[in-house]
Amino acid sequence: MTEATQPVPQRSDPPKTVVLEGLHKSFGEQHVLRGIDLSIAQGELVAIVGNSGSGKTVLLHCIIAHIKPESGRALVADVTQPGLPLYDVAALDDDALDRLRLHWAIVFQRNALFTGTVYDNIALGPHELRGDTREDILPRAREALKAVGLDPDQVLDRARDDRSGGMAKRVAIARALVLDPAMIFYDEPTAGLDPEHSALVHDLIRSTHERPTSERITRTSVVVTHDTGLLARLQPRVVMIHEGRVFFDGAFEEFARSDSAPIRPYFEAMAAVHACVRESRVPVRAGRRR
Ligand SMILES: Nc1ncnc2c1ncn2[C@@H]1O[C@H](COP(=O)(O)OP(=O)(O)OP(=O)(O)O)[C@@H](O)[C@H]1O
Ligand SMILES: [Mg+2]
């Protein structure tokens, strides 16, 4: 094991599950992340907000090791080990990363569904990562589809439908839920949903967050969003990214009340931005690092 792949012990209580230290990421001349420092404790529900193009998806992709930062570190805890040691995800080999990934689920901004039926999409993770059989997966898939407001009898064997953004988003959420993850990352989970299904997803994010995993691990949830309804309902810790750094980090109530120049106009425009959030340009294939 090289020095970079050695775990970083921690003594915080509650322990941290994500620690970002001085993250920088550029694309050509565009310096997107300019020194992001952020810690998320186990059991926290954190919303990451910021203008379109501010780097929220890039930040999330640094945490899940799809993007390698130029400098700084994204440390993520192994929630199965005593003391939750932290690992620099960019320094891990694929096997070590897969061991951490077993406990994560990601709802991608562009859903990242592949050709195949709804069942195929939902079953891929549990089958490939954990070797679960169809008999194990089917009841969980049915339960997860019901939780997102889809009728399993209607949709399980249907090809996933790209034309309906709302359905694809809900299948993407169901796919994350069946993994029963200790850490769940949502990138714009309610984009494209009508108000009724958005409210259902808000409640689902909360209920999933509050329920420990089947291995009794306390969940951590990170939600990238422009949805003020979601913030108002879940009242999470809010982290705002602005000009490549963490500009605000505090309670939703304080965020909503803030008169600060970048926050006020952003907050007031949030609902409109949510209605037309553009698609992320970050590649979505699992395991690909850039
Ligand atoms: N693969 C890439 N190649 C080049 N530029 C990229 C790439 N991925 C992201 N960017 C650029 O980095 C900036 C931040 O992108 P990112 O997708 O993180 O924004 P965002 O905050 O998630 O925006 P939105 O709210 O619209 O989803 C944007 O200007 C984007 O064009
Ligand atoms: Mg984005």
Side-chain angles (χ1 to χ4, degrees):
M1 229 185 220
T2 65
E3 199 184 315
T5 56
Q6 290 288 348
V8 178
Q10 55 170 325
R11 286 195 189 81
S12 19
D13 185 26
K16 309 291 183 205
T17 41
V18 176
V19 176
L20 307 180
E21 296 174 342
L23 277 194
H24 283 257
K25 178 67 190 174
S26 301
F27 296 99
E29 298 287 289
Q30 195 187 1
H31 197 171
V32 178
L33 305 182
R34 303 172 180 211
I36 298 273
D37 293 302
L38 178 67
S39 292
I40 298 174
Q42 186 175 40
E44 272 197 294
L45 170 60
V46 179
I48 298 182
V49 304
N51 286 316
S52 196
S54 59
K56 303 178 299 296
T57 295
V58 170
L59 174 67
L60 197 62
H61 283 247
C62 288
I63 300 174
I64 63 175
H66 282 196
I67 289 182
K68 198 168 178 171
E70 277 112 34
S71 60
R73 299 195 296 181
L75 303 170
V76 181
D78 182 342
V79 291
T80 61
Q81 285 185 44
L84 279 72
L86 293 158
Y87 289 86
D88 178 353
V89 290
L92 294 178
D93 63 28
D94 286 345
D95 287 345
L97 193 54
D98 281 349
R99 279 195 293 279
L100 291 191
R101 280 203 178 120
L102 265 181
H103 304 281
W104 308 346
I106 303 136
V107 177
F108 290 99
Q109 184 162 1
R110 291 172 67 186
N111 304 320
L113 302 180
F114 59 87
T115 316
T117 64
V118 166
Y119 174 80
D120 294 338
N121 271 278
I122 292 180
L124 182 77
H127 182 67
E128 297 276 311
L129 292 170
R130 301 184 185 151
D132 292 353
T133 64
R134 188 176 167 91
E135 289 65 42
D136 297 326
I137 300 168
L138 201 53
R140 282 152 49 203
R142 296 181 66 86
E143 196 187 320
L145 286 167
K146 282 190 208 152
V148 294
L150 290 168
D151 178 351
D153 293 326
Q154 296 278 323
V155 300
L156 258 176
D157 296 322
R158 255 172 61 186
R160 63 101 171 89
D161 186 354
D162 272 338
R163 285 158 304 175
S164 162
M167 177 179 167
K169 183 62 80 185
R170 288 187 285 157
V171 171
I173 295 171
R175 181 174 61 178
L177 298 179
V178 291
L179 290 168
D180 189 26
M183 300 183 54
I184 185 156
F185 302 97
Y186 304 87
D187 198 349
E188 304 291 356
T190 54
L193 297 187
D194 59 36
E196 188 190 337
H197 288 114
S198 293
L200 187 130
V201 168
H202 300 160
D203 292 342
L204 192 57
I205 291 173
R206 186 208 295 279
S207 59
T208 304
H209 180 72
E210 287 172 352
R211 196 176 61 244
T213 71
S214 56
E215 290 169 351
R216 312 300 306 159
I217 301 172
T218 305
R219 272 188 241 268
T220 305
S221 306
V222 178
V223 190
V224 171
T225 190
H226 287 286
D227 181 355
T228 33
L230 183 151
L231 298 184
R233 204 141 166 148
L234 302 185
Q235 304 270 320
R237 168 181 166 197
V238 176
V239 172
M240 183 183 182
I241 307 299
H242 180 66
E243 295 181 343
R245 295 197 179 82
V246 173
F247 181 80
F248 174 91
D249 185 352
F252 169 66
E253 216 176 82
E254 196 190 325
F255 179 72
R257 268 203 323 255
S258 170
D259 282 331
S260 139
I263 297 179
R264 196 72 249 150
Y266 170 71
F267 186 72
E268 271 149 22
M270 259 180 114
V273 180
H274 175 57
C276 61
V277 70
R278 66 183 169 73
E279 291 196 330
S280 161
R281 290 172 51 196
V282 174
V284 292
R285 285 229 336 260
R288 187 138 147 229
R289 295 201 209 183
R290 298 153 48 87

